[in-house]
Amino acid sequence: MRTTLFALFLCVTCLTAKGQTAKELIGKWQLVRYLHNGPEKDLKDFFKTDQVYQVFYENGKFESLIGDEVHKGKWKMSKDNQYLTLTSTLIPIKLHIDLFKDGKRITSYESIWTFEHKKIND
């Protein structure tokens, strides 16, 4: 449950951006950095793998991939491109887009979680 909620949160956090559009979000993104209440956390420690991805599709659907686990949901970007809302199961998570440019995306949730993703071309 904790991993599922966190994966959903990751997805949501990583999808909002200033100055970028939903079009730039489409594709595969790898989680490269995660902070919780300030300090950086070790991805392998938390997820038991460093293979943590989000895949966004044009139809508003996404997948969160954590090792061999796949979590599916829906995404929606705000009209002003400042927030990304991810919904997996019944829980929507609204992430603030702190940075979204040059294949790098940083999102945050209420100053608790911060996620940094890089776009993967494969």
Side-chain angles (χ1 to χ4, degrees):
M1 175 74 169
R2 177 179 144 192
T3 303
T4 301
L5 287 175
F6 185 74
L8 174 62
F9 179 78
L10 267 177
C11 292
V12 173
T13 306
C14 300
L15 293 178
T16 9
K18 294 180 182 172
Q20 296 293 317
T21 64
K23 185 177 180 179
E24 284 83 21
L25 182 61
I26 304 303
K28 188 173 187 178
W29 295 81
Q30 182 176 18
L31 180 65
V32 294
R33 190 168 180 229
Y34 159 60
L35 291 86
H36 183 254
N37 287 328
E40 185 170 350
K41 301 296 179 182
D42 183 85
L43 295 177
K44 279 191 170 184
D45 241 13
F46 188 83
F47 292 104
K48 308 302 179 223
T49 180
D50 60 355
Q51 301 299 303
V52 181
Y53 300 94
Q54 292 177 331
V55 183
F56 295 93
Y57 300 99
E58 290 182 18
N59 61 2
K61 294 184 179 181
F62 79 91
E63 294 178 335
S64 176
L65 312 171
I66 303 172
D68 293 334
E69 293 179 36
V70 178
H71 304 274
K72 296 182 180 208
K74 296 180 181 181
W75 66 271
K76 182 178 180 180
M77 193 173 294
S78 65
K79 289 181 183 180
D80 63 3
N81 293 323
Q82 297 221 8
Y83 293 92
L84 174 67
T85 300
L86 300 178
T87 304
S88 179
T89 61
L90 301 175
I91 304 168
I93 296 174
K94 186 175 182 180
L95 300 169
H96 183 263
I97 298 173
D98 301 323
L99 177 76
F100 189 0
K101 69 177 189 175
D102 301 327
K104 182 177 182 178
R105 187 173 40 114
I106 299 176
T107 54
S108 60
Y109 179 77
E110 297 183 1
S111 301
I112 299 170
W113 293 315
T114 301
F115 304 95
E116 183 178 327
H117 288 81
K118 69 177 180 179
K119 195 157 192 181
I120 303 297
N121 297 319
D122 65 14

